[in-house]
Amino acid sequence: MEKILEVKGLKVNFKTQGGTVQAVRGVDFDLCAGETLAIVGESGSGKSVTSKAMMGLLASNGSIVGGSIRYNGKEITTMKEKEFEHLRGRDIAMIFQDPMTSLNPCMTIGHQISESMIKHQKLSRKQAREQTIELMRLVEIKDAEKRYKQYPHQFSGGMRQRIVTAAALACHPKILICDEPTTALDVTIQAQIIDLIKSLQKKLDIGIIFITHDLGVVANVADRVAVMYAGKIVEIGTADEVFYQPAHPYTWGLLASMPSMSDSKDELWSIPGSPPDLINPPKGDAFAPRNRFAMQIDFEEEPPMFRISDTHSAATWLLHEYAPKIQSPLAELRQRR
Amino acid sequence: MRKVLSMALAAAMLLTVLAGCGGGNQTAGGSSSGAQSNASSGEKVLTLSYTGDISTLDMNLCYNSNTAEVLSNTVATLFKHDQEGKLTNEICKDYTVSEDGMVYTFNLRDDFKWSNGDPVTAHDFVYSWQRLGNPNTGSTYANYLSKAHIINAEGVVNGDLDGSELGVTALNDYTLEVRLDRPVPYLLTFLCEAAFLPINQKFQESVGDKFGTSVENALFSGAYVVADWQTEYEIRLEKNPDYPLADQVAIDTVIIKIVKDANTAVNLFETGELDIFELDGEQAVMYKDDPHAHAYATTQMNFLVMNEQNPILANVNARRAISCVLDKQFITDEIYANGSTPADYIIPAGLDYDENGNDFRTTTNIPPATDIEKGKEYWAKAKEELNLPQYEIRLMIGDSTKSKRLAEFFQSQLEKNLEGLTVTFDYATSKTAIDKEISGDFDTTFSTWGVDYLDLSFFIDMFTTDFYANTGHFSNAEYDELAQLASGEYLNDKEKRWEALRRAEEILVVEEMGTVPIFQGARMYLVADQVEGYHYSDVTPQRFFALMDVVA
Amino acid sequence: MKKYILVRLLYMVIAIALIVSITFLLLQFMPGSPFNDLQLTPEQRVLLDEKYGLNDPIPVKYARYVSNLFHGELGTSFIFNNQDVSDMIAARMSSSVRVGLQALVCGSVIGVLLGIVAALKRNSFWDHLTTIIAVIGVSIPAFVIGSLMQYYFGVKMAILPVIYDKGNAVSTIMPTIALAFSVIATTAKYMRNELVDIINSDYILFARSKGLTGSEVIIKHAVRNALIPVVTILGPMTISLITGSTVVERIFSVPGLGNLLVTSIQNNDYFVILGEGLVFSLMFLSVVLVVDILYGLIDPRIRLAGGNHNE
């Protein structure tokens, strides 16, 4: 599989009144055509920022201060706005979390879907309309002909997310970034949307970056998973590897705190503490203060990525040859349940 | 749908703006021009402004001076005046007066025409005056007939008598006879008033109530005709080619713009778009030394009315005290600043002259009133006589800047010099002030009166006991008797009359202080260099445009 | 929709009836009268009051006025003897409407443009300029602006006509600007705030993510949507135009409705005051109605609120 996206050492900073926030502090990953990479992490981990950096949609006080992003071999980080406008929609597209607010309430959905077609492919109104109706059928919107002229408020949440998806895919981009696309939807609709995205991926052979904080969704959708914490990727691997052989204590924490129906206990397991302040990030492992398996070195020096397999790596000193062998507490937890 | 609507809306708006820009040349003359002769036609144009529009072109209903001026310039009557205010003939060829001075016979010229071709005849005068007195007409100045002492005037005005009983007859088409109930020394100048202008009966009856409401509903016969009247915007007079005296008329067009704001008018004068501008209030103070400023004396008097129903003001010493401490020079120079002259007398100069040409005013001997020390003495006496716990009087005054300054000055002068006296203000607009004055709800107020007719008795009559406008309620038996004699028995004896009036004036403003005269008014105008012959007259019209010229 | 318009029209009629009636009543208590000139003798005043029915009891006068109204007669003026109030008002409409409409159109267009620029260039020179204009427009009264302009542009620099001239469109510039100032101020501020809110919204980000250029996004999405609520402030702005007109018309000698209103109030010209009150109310209420209908038409959320709500 060819790599369509290569991210190396990406660093993004934001200038705020309180100081400079180091939102992304050196991130590496790749994406191949047709595969789904899930980026998981809590709020503030830098996952959204990473994706926005890829599209040049950072807020005005944000800037890429280091690293590279290559799309099909072309370096993105140095692109001008004009070049980004070419890239967006046509090569890389994005759908956002809240379908209620992602659509312009005063514009017909048909128009909103066909906008990028008209822009990038220079189609005529008529052609764009035909293609849009096709797309609408693709995302399973019934009565496409009639509903072309309707407005967002005439659709339910799930329908709107389909519209958003159609709009994003209008020009058949190679990469689709989904930034928490199901978070605002009902659970039943979530499943529908996820199925839709999966089927679209197969049909259109697009690479998907799926950003979420919900591991349950990840399991359904991802080929590979990257876990982010405090602006860095702490663990990356195939879905199986990350779910069944997690190596980073943070990943353990995430997996353990997933509520399960068979939980006999009333308490939910959670990771104590909160993420660090990224204006003055700690010099060691950012997770160390919340890590009950932390060692002295975790507070002194940041761990590098340790290779576990060809596809699996984790940035934790526990993987160092000198570190004590700790078994993941998950096994124990799973037994308890 | 939405697109079509928004585009339609935008188009509509654009159209209206464009229409507004393009349209507008519906007026008769297009845009106005300054006083420079129009290069194209060599026309002489005079541009001036009024602060208020004329109210009508119906002479019987005319009630303000602007209306009177326009009407008098555009409708011919018996007499007009020259630049010095002396009478000149217009329609009247000559006239005779009976021995007892109570019958006047006017012989009219036969070459004056109305703008519809009809000749102006003596019948037009009769019809107009009868209509003036008819209560149905609703004329404010119907009482002018009584003031002219035309026989049966009062009966007609009150509706008791039919108009035909009025003492005016057309002996034939061009002879007018006027019968009076007593000699009227001021009759001729008085008949120049706009109320007495002739009316074409046929025309007026054909348009009924709408007479005078627009140019189409009016007729003209004077030196000028009203070519256009756009209410609250502009009045345009044009030289009347059919005027028998047209060769004496120099200016071709007079444009009167209605400009309510004084600053705006000043700006227009500065840019040359106005030739004449009347200076008043703040502007007068600002411009009084400007080389273009000219003052013209009038027969207006400004005086302080004191309501003698107020216990303090009922005391003659209190009134004398007030008279002594008011610095009238300051008022005329600093507050009015329009050329008015301070006055300790009530009968204005310029009304009557003896055989040697001496003005009545020069034959009297009124001592100067201002004397602070004397004032304090009078006030001390007054307080002794009154013995009141406190002394407070109200000054009723309008709320213009000038009025406020006057009020403050009045207060400071009185309170400073008359110990224990407090002056408070009662600000009232002119409409409510009049009602209050009549009902007696005031203590003191400044009053300005112009004469209705140019007669020495006018101001004296105002302070007689029964006069309806004697709102201060001054009353003195000797004074009343003298006033009556001056307007009755002595009418044909100038010397006796003058003597009586001198004595009456003495009683009023020296002995009894029934009023405190402040100044004799003047009007000040900024006159552009190219205007010649500018004047101001107490005989209607104030300004007779036919006498003026515009020289490039 | 039709039903809505009919109901609104009914309310409008009721509102105007109330306004006219209340104004009528208040005028009866206004001190003074059109005929209180000290020149008039008391007998004359009685005669005049009788002729014009000024001494009749209030209900009689009211009934007379209302019945005349139904015949389309607004009465005659006392000051401009015997002139029909309806003629007088009609003659003045064109000047007032011309200047007022120009002020409204120019003002809102300029205001919108300023607001857009201010929103796009936050905290830049343009943004601060817009704020300054907004403060000036709202706090400095129109007559101050008008007088200053008249002096500087009309006299000192002599580049614009000092007063209004019916045949000269250039003479409408200063009165229009004087009136438009508050319109520009309100519209600019409003537009800027609306636009800033919208620019920060998600659908703008989504539109950008589709590859639309910055200006395309601004114009097709942001400005279009921001304009809709701006329509709602047209109503209050019309009011400020009407009230501002009294002063601006006086300074620039515009023979309009505002000018007439001041004159008639100063002289107790009752029927003219009532007639003008009627006309002004009608204008304002019509603008409000049109704005409401327009708003319903151009905002699809409102237009289709009652319509289909499919899955």
Side-chain angles (χ1 to χ4, degrees):
Chain A
M1 289 204 288
E2 7 100 48
K3 293 204 182 125
I4 49 176
L5 189 71
E6 291 172 79
V7 178
K8 282 199 180 30
L10 181 65
K11 291 201 177 83
V12 178
N13 281 357
F14 284 94
K15 287 205 191 73
T16 70
Q17 282 189 329
T20 307
V21 178
Q22 299 177 27
V24 178
R25 305 185 297 133
V27 155
D28 303 291
F29 64 86
D30 304 324
L31 185 71
C32 299
E35 79 163 334
T36 305
L37 168 70
I39 303 186
V40 184
E42 51 195 306
S43 316
S45 56
K47 50 194 204 298
S48 279
V49 174
T50 308
S51 57
K52 286 199 182 135
M54 281 191 272
M55 299 207 30
L57 285 178
L58 289 174
S60 51
N61 61 340
S63 50
I64 299 176
V65 295
S68 100
I69 304 176
R70 277 181 187 278
Y71 167 70
N72 271 345
K74 179 165 160 90
E75 179 62 52
I76 294 184
T77 53
T78 51
M79 271 183 15
K80 303 261 182 10
E81 179 62 19
K82 258 242 155 307
E83 299 169 275
F84 267 119
E85 284 164 10
H86 270 302
L87 186 77
R88 296 185 203 125
R90 205 172 54 120
D91 297 300
I92 309 183
M94 196 157 163
I95 61 181
F96 297 89
Q97 170 175 321
D98 191 348
M100 304 303 221
T101 56
S102 296
L103 292 171
N104 185 337
C106 300
M107 203 187 259
T108 62
I109 56 119
H111 191 153
Q112 293 189 60
I113 295 176
S114 51
E115 253 192 320
S116 51
M117 275 186 233
I118 297 177
K119 166 97 186 156
H120 290 298
Q121 298 167 355
K122 311 258 189 281
L123 295 181
S124 73
R125 273 284 162 95
K126 194 157 161 281
Q127 292 170 312
R129 190 194 142 94
E130 281 167 21
Q131 286 207 23
T132 301
I133 294 182
E134 267 308 307
L135 257 178
M136 285 167 77
R137 295 210 183 98
L138 195 66
V139 295
E140 294 160 25
I141 298 176
K142 300 197 196 71
D143 291 325
E145 291 258 355
K146 194 172 87 162
R147 309 207 80 183
Y148 183 90
K149 288 195 293 268
Q150 289 190 333
Y151 290 88
H153 67 271
Q154 293 170 288
F155 293 83
S156 68
M159 276 293 166
R160 284 190 227 188
Q161 199 62 302
R162 288 172 197 270
I163 295 168
V164 168
T165 311
L169 296 176
C171 299
H172 303 297
K174 307 282 183 311
I175 301 180
L176 177 68
I177 304 176
C178 306
D179 192 344
E180 312 242 26
T182 54
T183 309
L185 300 173
D186 297 335
V187 177
T188 43
I189 309 293
Q190 277 185 24
Q192 288 178 14
I193 296 298
I194 291 174
D195 284 340
L196 177 68
I197 293 179
K198 281 196 339 202
S199 77
L200 286 172
Q201 182 183 38
K202 275 211 199 60
K203 285 196 195 132
L204 305 172
D205 194 36
I206 34 180
I208 296 184
I209 299 180
F210 203 102
I211 300 173
T212 178
H213 63 273
D214 186 348
L215 283 172
V217 166
V218 172
N220 238 317
V221 119
D223 298 318
R224 293 191 303 130
V225 179
V227 179
M228 272 187 81
Y229 183 78
K232 291 174 99 99
I233 294 185
V234 297
E235 182 160 1
I236 182 164
T238 66
D240 277 341
E241 286 166 339
V242 173
F243 271 94
Y244 294 112
Q245 290 139 35
H248 195 285
Y250 178 62
T251 319
W252 295 341
L254 279 184
L255 289 169
S257 49
M258 271 173 62
S260 157
M261 291 299 268
S262 50
D263 244 342
S264 49
K265 291 230 161 84
D266 300 299
E267 268 183 65
L268 285 177
W269 207 92
S270 62
I271 309 174
S274 48
D277 167 20
L278 289 176
I279 292 181
N280 294 306
K283 57 176 179 177
D285 183 356
F287 187 58
R290 306 165 80 186
N291 184 2
R292 57 181 158 123
F293 304 107
M295 302 176 288
Q296 184 68 20
I297 190 168
D298 282 303
F299 291 96
E300 305 275 327
E301 215 182 305
E302 279 194 54
M305 272 293 201
F306 287 97
R307 248 184 117 235
I308 305 172
S309 78
D310 273 344
T311 48
H312 190 185
S313 324
T316 168
W317 286 117
L318 289 174
L319 290 172
H320 194 275
E321 44 177 345
Y322 295 151
K325 293 283 176 275
I326 309 262
Q327 231 218 352
S328 136
L330 287 170
E332 186 193 322
L333 277 173
R334 283 187 189 128
Q335 276 172 0
R336 269 200 232 151
R337 287 177 185 160
Chain B
M1 164 65 187
R2 180 161 53 105
K3 275 219 184 94
V4 173
L5 198 70
S6 30
M7 286 211 288
L9 209 66
M13 284 182 168
L14 208 63
L15 272 173
T16 35
V17 172
L18 287 174
C21 287
N25 268 324
Q26 328 100 327
T27 70
S31 49
S32 61
S33 52
Q36 325 85 296
S37 317
N38 247 349
S40 49
S41 52
E43 244 189 38
K44 294 186 179 213
V45 182
L46 179 72
T47 313
L48 50 118
S49 70
Y50 284 163
T51 53
D53 198 4
I54 62 174
S55 60
T56 180
L57 291 172
D58 178 342
M59 30 292 266
N60 289 152
L61 295 178
C62 165
Y63 66 84
N64 66 35
S65 53
N66 290 340
T67 314
E69 184 172 70
V70 169
L71 277 172
S72 187
N73 269 288
T74 55
V75 177
T77 186
L78 297 169
F79 304 103
K80 282 285 191 288
H81 61 78
D82 65 12
Q83 284 175 25
E84 278 84 48
K86 300 262 183 328
L87 276 189
T88 58
N89 285 345
E90 202 175 24
I91 298 188
C92 173
K93 239 179 359 194
D94 48 56
Y95 68 95
T96 55
V97 192
S98 65
E99 266 286 337
D100 58 4
M102 303 210 310
V103 180
Y104 283 73
T105 313
F106 300 97
N107 296 315
L108 311 180
R109 290 171 64 144
D110 58 6
D111 51 355
F112 277 78
K113 291 199 180 359
W114 293 106
S115 40
N116 66 351
D118 290 349
V120 181
T121 68
H123 299 289
D124 297 338
F125 285 89
V126 174
Y127 178 68
S128 166
W129 299 13
Q130 287 177 347
R131 185 168 175 266
L132 176 68
N134 189 336
N136 276 334
T137 312
S139 165
T140 313
Y141 284 138
N143 58 35
Y144 269 18
L145 292 170
S146 329
K147 292 187 181 173
H149 289 280
I150 299 178
I151 286 183
N152 287 334
E154 219 170 292
V156 172
V157 170
N158 288 338
D160 299 327
L161 294 173
D162 183 67
S164 55
E165 307 268 352
L166 193 62
V168 58
T169 325
L171 296 179
N172 57 50
D173 279 350
Y174 297 103
T175 313
L176 182 69
E177 183 191 73
V178 181
R179 298 182 305 283
L180 313 171
D181 61 29
R182 61 149 243 210
V184 179
Y186 52 84
L187 183 71
L188 297 182
T189 51
F190 193 43
L191 288 181
C192 293
E193 287 291 330
F196 293 118
L197 291 170
I199 298 181
N200 181 321
Q201 176 171 8
K202 201 176 68 195
F203 180 82
Q204 189 274 318
E205 284 175 343
S206 72
V207 294
D209 262 350
K210 292 299 167 200
F211 180 62
T213 57
S214 68
V215 172
E216 294 77 40
N217 289 326
L219 281 186
F220 310 102
S221 60
Y224 293 90
V225 298
V226 179
D228 193 21
W229 174 29
Q230 298 176 64
T231 45
E232 305 237 295
Y233 182 61
E234 189 178 273
I235 307 160
R236 183 174 261 268
L237 306 182
E238 275 172 15
K239 189 166 151 179
N240 182 358
D242 295 327
Y243 187 62
L245 309 167
D247 53 352
Q248 296 169 18
V249 178
I251 295 180
D252 299 300
T253 309
V254 180
I255 298 175
I256 304 172
K257 299 194 87 58
I258 310 299
V259 180
K260 300 211 171 143
D261 189 75
N263 279 325
T264 307
V266 169
N267 288 340
L268 283 170
F269 185 83
E270 299 278 356
T271 56
E273 283 169 73
L274 268 188
D275 300 316
I276 312 289
F277 170 59
E278 183 175 355
L279 292 171
D280 194 19
E282 307 171 340
Q283 261 98 21
V285 180
M286 262 172 36
Y287 280 90
K288 61 182 172 172
D289 298 322
D290 189 299
H292 291 114
H294 300 277
Y296 298 91
T298 70
T299 50
Q300 241 186 20
M301 293 303 295
N302 179 296
F303 48 90
L304 184 73
V305 180
M306 296 175 289
N307 189 351
E308 296 190 18
Q309 289 174 338
N310 174 298
I312 303 174
L313 298 170
N315 179 299
V316 65
N317 286 319
R319 300 200 298 273
R320 288 188 186 134
I322 293 176
S323 165
C324 287
V325 303
L326 271 180
D327 180 357
K328 303 170 190 180
Q329 192 79 43
F330 183 88
I331 295 179
T332 54
D333 290 351
E334 302 300 325
I335 298 181
Y336 279 84
N338 60 354
S340 301
T341 45
D344 297 322
Y345 53 84
I346 196 63
I347 300 178
L351 285 179
D352 205 4
Y353 307 84
D354 66 15
E355 325 78 52
N356 300 325
N358 295 320
D359 190 314
F360 170 83
R361 198 65 265 146
T362 58
T363 64
T364 60
N365 208 342
I366 298 192
T370 311
D371 187 334
I372 307 271
E373 287 314 310
K374 258 237 182 101
K376 290 187 176 160
E377 278 172 37
Y378 281 130
W379 179 241
K381 253 193 256 172
K383 279 199 284 190
E384 247 183 71
E385 291 166 5
L386 287 170
N387 209 352
L388 291 172
Q390 38 176 359
Y391 297 93
E392 182 188 300
I393 56 171
R394 292 171 299 161
L395 172 68
M396 183 166 74
I397 195 147
D399 58 1
S400 70
T401 320
K402 185 169 71 184
S403 300
K404 285 208 183 103
R405 290 187 68 202
L406 186 58
E408 280 159 18
F409 179 71
F410 180 78
Q411 181 188 49
S412 75
Q413 291 268 280
L414 261 61
E415 288 185 350
K416 188 171 75 176
N417 295 311
L418 305 180
E419 218 193 293
L421 178 63
T422 333
V423 175
T424 56
F425 301 135
D426 180 15
Y427 289 111
T429 58
S430 55
K431 287 286 166 183
T432 49
I434 290 174
D435 280 344
K436 279 182 156 187
E437 215 183 310
I438 293 184
S439 67
D441 181 15
F442 79 104
D443 292 333
T444 60
T445 188
F446 285 96
S447 205
T448 308
W449 277 76
V451 297
D452 283 344
Y453 43 85
L454 295 169
D455 188 55
L456 295 170
S457 282
F458 184 79
F459 279 103
I460 296 295
D461 288 341
M462 270 182 64
F463 294 93
T464 53
T465 308
D466 292 324
F467 191 68
Y468 74 94
N470 181 357
T471 51
H473 300 282
F474 170 75
S475 181
N476 178 295
E478 194 193 334
Y479 179 89
D480 284 349
E481 213 196 300
L482 289 164
Q484 210 173 21
L485 288 170
S487 296
E489 240 182 80
Y490 293 168
L491 275 172
N492 282 331
D493 186 338
K494 201 169 194 148
E495 223 184 284
K496 275 218 176 102
R497 190 169 185 240
W498 278 31
E499 191 52 50
L501 290 171
R502 274 196 284 264
R503 175 71 194 127
E505 191 181 42
E506 202 176 29
I507 296 176
L508 182 64
V509 299
V510 181
E511 293 177 9
E512 296 300 315
M513 209 48 78
T515 178
V516 180
I518 307 290
F519 62 76
Q520 176 163 358
R523 296 174 87 122
M524 190 133 91
Y525 292 90
L526 283 178
V527 181
D529 292 326
Q530 60 267 37
V531 179
E532 269 183 19
Y534 189 74
H535 56 276
Y536 178 87
S537 165
D538 283 308
V539 178
T540 305
Q542 287 162 209
R543 296 162 298 180
F544 189 28
F545 301 123
L547 299 175
M548 299 194 224
D549 198 357
V550 170
V551 183
Chain C
M1 179 60 111
K2 278 211 190 80
K3 192 164 154 234
Y4 175 73
I5 297 182
L6 279 171
V7 170
R8 286 297 301 268
L9 282 174
L10 184 65
Y11 280 142
M12 219 166 100
V13 170
I14 296 177
I16 292 184
L18 270 172
I19 293 172
V20 169
S21 305
I22 294 177
T23 312
F24 189 90
L25 202 62
L26 287 174
L27 282 175
Q28 302 308 310
F29 297 118
M30 206 160 116
S33 117
F35 300 117
N36 59 353
D37 206 323
L38 217 50
Q39 302 274 13
L40 288 171
T41 62
E43 297 85 23
Q44 274 183 299
R45 276 197 68 177
V46 169
L47 284 171
L48 278 173
D49 284 345
E50 254 178 54
K51 174 175 154 94
Y52 290 105
L54 291 176
N55 284 331
D56 293 340
I58 294 180
V60 171
K61 288 199 268 191
Y62 183 65
R64 203 180 333 159
Y65 184 71
V66 172
S67 82
N68 279 342
L69 212 57
F70 276 111
H71 289 114
E73 279 173 32
L74 293 171
T76 58
S77 163
F78 297 121
I79 305 307
F80 294 96
N81 310 70
N82 295 329
Q83 282 191 31
D84 280 330
V85 172
S86 37
D87 287 338
M88 288 168 66
I89 289 183
R92 287 184 181 53
M93 284 279 276
S94 63
S95 305
S96 276
V97 169
R98 181 172 169 185
V99 176
L101 206 60
Q102 274 176 206
L104 190 64
V105 169
C106 294
S108 24
V109 166
I110 296 177
V112 163
L113 289 174
L114 265 181
I116 293 176
V117 171
L120 294 181
K121 301 205 187 303
R122 304 260 301 276
N123 295 323
S124 71
F125 163 75
W126 288 104
D127 192 8
H128 293 311
L129 179 69
T130 308
T131 309
I132 292 175
I133 293 181
V135 170
I136 291 179
V138 167
S139 27
I140 298 188
F143 75 82
V144 173
I145 297 177
S147 303
L148 286 173
M149 280 201 295
Q150 187 182 61
Y151 180 64
Y152 281 107
F153 296 125
V155 182
K156 272 228 118 111
M157 301 203 276
I159 49 177
L160 286 176
V162 175
I163 55 174
Y164 177 82
D165 184 336
K166 282 187 187 174
N168 183 359
V170 177
S171 70
T172 62
I173 291 181
M174 282 201 287
T176 302
I177 294 181
L179 262 187
F181 237 91
S182 68
V183 173
I184 295 177
T186 318
T187 315
K189 192 145 173 284
Y190 207 80
M191 187 72 188
R192 177 199 179 277
N193 292 343
E194 281 295 316
L195 205 53
V196 163
D197 275 347
I198 289 176
I199 287 179
N200 289 332
S201 63
D202 282 345
Y203 64 84
I204 293 295
L205 194 61
F206 184 57
R208 284 187 68 200
S209 77
K210 288 192 277 188
L212 296 174
T213 62
S215 40
E216 281 173 330
V217 170
I218 296 296
I219 296 174
K220 291 187 188 165
H221 288 264
V223 171
R224 230 193 217 167
N225 287 19
L227 280 177
I228 296 175
V230 168
V231 165
T232 58
I233 60 173
L234 280 180
M237 284 208 293
T238 310
I239 286 281
S240 69
L241 282 178
I242 291 176
T243 50
S245 71
T246 52
V247 159
V248 170
E249 284 184 11
R250 188 192 149 100
I251 294 179
F252 291 101
S253 291
V254 179
L257 294 172
N259 220 345
L260 182 62
L261 188 66
V262 174
T263 309
S264 55
I265 290 178
Q266 284 175 333
N267 290 297
N268 290 64
D269 205 353
Y270 299 125
F271 293 121
V272 178
I273 300 174
L274 277 167
E276 290 238 340
L278 190 71
V279 167
F280 281 147
S281 315
L282 212 69
M283 291 203 298
F284 173 61
L285 289 172
S286 309
V287 168
V288 170
L289 181 62
V290 166
V291 163
D292 281 350
I293 294 177
L294 211 64
Y295 194 67
L297 284 176
I298 60 181
D299 187 338
R301 289 171 286 190
I302 297 179
R303 182 185 354 151
L304 301 161
N308 296 336
H309 210 77
N310 297 14
E311 251 297 271

